């Protein structure tokens, strides 16, 4: 089967590496030069809304997917008229609009932080008593010239925050003092079959995912699976969906979802029977989904900006290196290392050593 | 690191798939059109002894390896003047000559079937009392126009067998009524570090490997490791070496070795912490070798000639599909399926079901 992917970065690269053994071939559409998936896929180089290239991609593939959620909706709509596109357009449109996303969660009985849509400074002021302090105001969509979000501590902050957002439609949310940040990687096939991986506990640094630890058997697993299943069913979803969650005390709150394979699922490459990349491909190709059981105790550390001495990394018998073929640059994700150890205790020890190496 | 490979078939393809996560890139030299590794590697298309292409391969890579042992020795010698080539030329020269190979085994105290070099019908007749009946006569090297080997049951067979071999230098060996056929996949790094995988028990059909089962804990393991270590050390070997063995009663006899990754090691892709492909690449790149411990209980079934319904294969949660991107053709290896199950009993059950499917 011939797979097309919008976006040619590391997620496309790892999809391709997982798909060749299934007999699949890959074409990626990406405007970039020397994108890191081009070593393992044919690249159509050009804009995501170039209809000639989109038509060519549709022509030469059996199914199309995407590796990032900011892909233009018009590109997906154009493709969907010619070739199956998964995950479906409704999922993409929902993930691209924080109000639609949070409203969907609410409709499905999925707990979220308190939120309200605000389209003016007046609406923002009116919403605050219900939301409470502190709160966060966010644009409904990404991509408004980098203007993103602001924290609201007191009534004095409202006017300046609203101005900073340049008056675009926004969402105000209660700030949740969460104890843990989780994600759940869920997969739904074309027949409606659903499988989920164990919860992953995530730690960010400077806004970028730093560390993920698989948490099989976590007490929150059943509720997270229930949430994911509701979303997958409602969206008639096909492929991998990643739901990001906050745990605050006994409560589990949905933050957002990504309609794609996700950095927090990279540990599945070495720590699960079937990795998220293969399962996404199985799903969008109409194949049976693979087992999500863990192999040992797994964690993942992102390599951000630079690559440590790989001789040292590989001397650790529990470490698995995954480089993206990218040049080092501050802030850039250039690879990750999975730790997979026979016991949780040993995983923690190896993880500590690895973090010290990566930070050195 | 940039890796060059002589030969662009499925072994080169699986090496490349295993090497991208290490940050490596791949160039293959192969005379074929549409070779199956070309989807994941740059192909230099042309003859193995084309010095212009060989020079180009050396120029654009940091180390060169090969995926088959019949690669012309002149090609490797030419390359070795320009770039490191692993496994070393001595290993290749030894593997290409059955007499050198068996003599090496004998020198290293590795048991083999009784053998003798024969260069004439007279020498063959003189050797037989020492070899015993039945015996097998084989050309010392492959590639003599397809003329290969003949079985000798009685004195009357000698003249016709010798004629069939067209008078080329040959080896006569005792025919061993072995109970089991094993291989051991061993890896040696540039520092002399050696790791071995558990013994693999192999079953052939019509001369082609059909089935491999990993046998961790087998009573013959220690002796097989000892044999492999002697060979690796003597040849100052770097890379994966596969030693094929016969078990007859309590005795373990070396048959031959392949200076490369091997079909009987494919189960390591899903059944070992580090697969044979990654370990070969680690070795030839001067990196530390990866752990060879098993994950679960593993077996491999070759797909020969045609590919079964992959929906059915993938519905088995213990099956992992590895297709080579080749069109189906009688007798052609087009892929393999690894079974990896949590218990030996379950592996046997799943293997039985899979064999029935593949044979249907």
């Amino acid at each position: 089967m011939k797979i097309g992917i919008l976006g040619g970065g590391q997620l496309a690269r790892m999809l391709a590496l997982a798909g060749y053994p299934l007999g699949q071939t890959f074409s990626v559409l990406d405007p970039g030069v020397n994108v890191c998936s081009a070593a393992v896929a044919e690249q159509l180089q050009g804009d995501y809304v170039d209809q000639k290239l989109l038509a060519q991609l549709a022509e030469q593939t059996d199914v199309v997917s995407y590796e990032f959620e900011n892909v233009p909706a018009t590109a997906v709509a154009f493709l969907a008229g010619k070739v199956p596109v998964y995950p479906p357009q409704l999922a993409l449109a929902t993930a691209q609009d924080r109000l639609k996303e949070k409203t969907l969660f609410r409709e499905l009985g999925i707990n979220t932080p308190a939120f309200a849509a605000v389209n003016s400074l007046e609406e923002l002021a009116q919403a605050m008593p219900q939301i409470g302090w502190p709160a966060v105001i966010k644009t409904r969509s990404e991509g408004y010239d980098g203007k993103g979000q602001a924290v609201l501590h007191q009534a004095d902050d409202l006017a300046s925050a609203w101005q900073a957002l340049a008056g675009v439609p926004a969402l105000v949310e209660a700030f949740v003092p969460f104890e843990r940040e989780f994600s759940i990687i869920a997969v739904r096939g074309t027949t409606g079959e659903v499988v989920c991986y164990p919860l992953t506990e995530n730690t960010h640094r400077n806004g970028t995912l730093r560390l993920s630890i698989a948490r099989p058997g976590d007490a929150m697993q059943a509720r997270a699976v229930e949430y994911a299943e509701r979303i997958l069913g409602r969206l008639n979803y096909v492929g991998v969906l990643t739901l990001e969650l906050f745990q605050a005390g006994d409560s589990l709150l949905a933050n957002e979802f990504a309609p794609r394979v996700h950095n927090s699922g990279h540990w599945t490459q070495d720590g699960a029977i079937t990795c998220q990349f293969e399962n996404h491909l199985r799903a969008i190709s109409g194949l049976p989904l693979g087992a999500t059981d863990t192999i040992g105790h797994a964690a993942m550390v992102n390599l951000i900006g630079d690559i440590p001495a790989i001789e040292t990394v590989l001397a650790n018998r529990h470490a698995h290196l995954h480089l993206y073929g990218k040049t080092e640059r501050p802030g850039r994700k250039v690879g990750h290392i999975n730790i997979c150890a026979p016991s949780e205790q040993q995983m923690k020890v190896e993880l500590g050593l690895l973090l010290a190496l990566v930070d050195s």
Side-chain angles (χ1 to χ4, degrees), chain A:
Chain A
M1 188 169 255
K2 296 172 187 162
I3 313 290
I5 304 173
L6 295 172
Q10 65 264 26
L11 299 180
R13 174 180 162 107
M14 290 185 280
L15 283 165
L17 290 173
Y20 281 105
L22 301 177
Q24 300 177 333
T25 58
F26 293 84
S27 302
V28 300
L29 171 57
D30 193 299
V33 181
N34 286 328
V35 296
C36 75
S37 64
V40 294
E42 181 195 2
Q43 185 187 357
L44 307 183
Q45 197 193 338
D47 200 273
Y48 292 118
V49 293
D50 180 329
Q51 293 203 348
K52 198 174 148 209
L53 281 181
L54 289 169
Q56 187 184 339
L57 184 68
E59 178 64 32
Q60 69 187 44
T61 58
D62 300 309
V63 60
V64 171
S65 191
Y66 41 88
E67 64 151 17
F68 66 118
E69 58 270 36
N70 293 320
V71 57
T74 53
V76 171
F78 179 85
L79 283 167
K82 298 173 180 297
V83 67
V85 179
Y86 297 124
Q89 291 180 77
L90 176 59
L92 184 66
T94 307
Q96 287 182 339
D97 182 333
R98 293 181 202 282
L99 179 60
K100 286 184 185 166
E101 190 178 38
K102 285 287 198 309
T103 303
L104 175 73
F105 292 159
R106 182 177 281 172
E107 285 172 8
L108 294 173
I110 296 171
N111 290 333
T112 69
F115 70 89
V118 288
N119 295 302
S120 67
L121 180 56
E122 292 67 39
E123 287 182 9
L124 176 57
Q126 284 161 15
M128 286 313 298
Q130 162 216 339
I131 302 296
W133 305 92
V136 185
I137 186 164
K138 301 173 176 177
T139 55
R140 279 177 57 176
S141 303
E142 303 275 7
Y144 285 88
D145 301 319
K147 295 178 180 65
Q149 52 184 54
V151 181
L152 309 172
H153 294 284
Q154 55 200 24
D156 286 355
D157 296 340
L158 299 188
S160 59
W162 183 252
Q163 271 197 322
L165 261 57
V168 300
L171 200 74
V172 62
E173 282 182 11
F175 179 85
V176 178
F178 61 85
E179 288 121 46
R180 299 199 296 171
E181 197 172 348
F182 283 123
S183 56
I184 184 160
I185 312 281
V187 200
R188 186 168 182 271
T190 50
T191 61
E193 176 193 10
V194 171
V195 296
C196 293
Y197 291 91
L199 276 172
T200 305
E201 188 174 340
N202 301 314
T203 307
H204 291 76
R205 181 193 283 183
N206 303 328
T208 302
L209 182 66
R210 165 76 171 158
L211 167 65
S212 291
I213 302 177
R215 296 293 190 200
D218 193 277
M220 291 289 174
Q221 179 78 20
R223 214 182 311 168
V225 168
E226 174 64 29
Y227 283 0
E229 286 178 340
R230 288 180 202 167
I231 299 166
L232 292 169
R234 172 66 70 90
L235 296 173
N236 197 24
Y237 199 91
V238 174
V240 162
L241 177 142
T242 306
L243 177 62
E244 297 183 21
L245 300 155
F246 297 134
Q247 182 190 353
D250 284 343
S251 110
L252 191 66
L253 305 174
N255 179 33
E256 60 182 35
F257 75 84
R260 56 171 172 82
V261 288
H262 193 266
N263 195 164
S264 65
H266 289 358
W267 65 266
T268 62
Q269 292 173 306
D270 300 292
I273 291 180
T274 314
C275 75
Q276 65 166 346
F277 300 100
E278 180 173 338
N279 255 335
H280 183 69
L281 294 168
R282 288 187 185 216
I284 68 172
S285 306
L287 294 169
L289 304 182
T292 54
D293 312 50
T294 52
I295 296 169
H297 294 260
M300 182 223 62
V301 175
N302 266 339
L303 301 177
I304 299 167
D306 43 36
I307 299 168
I310 70 170
E311 296 76 11
T312 310
V313 172
L314 295 178
N316 179 336
R317 55 185 277 108
H318 303 292
H320 297 267
L321 181 63
H322 296 269
L323 296 178
Y324 305 154
K326 288 172 155 184
T327 51
E328 296 167 301
R329 198 165 69 196
R332 192 182 210 193
K333 289 180 183 173
V334 291
H336 65 272
I337 296 165
N338 290 333
I339 291 286
C340 193
S343 72
E344 188 174 5
Q345 179 56 28
Q346 195 166 2
M347 181 270 286
K348 284 181 188 169
V349 170
E350 302 296 348
L351 185 57
L353 292 170
L354 177 61
L355 287 170
L357 171 70
V358 170
D359 278 339
S360 68

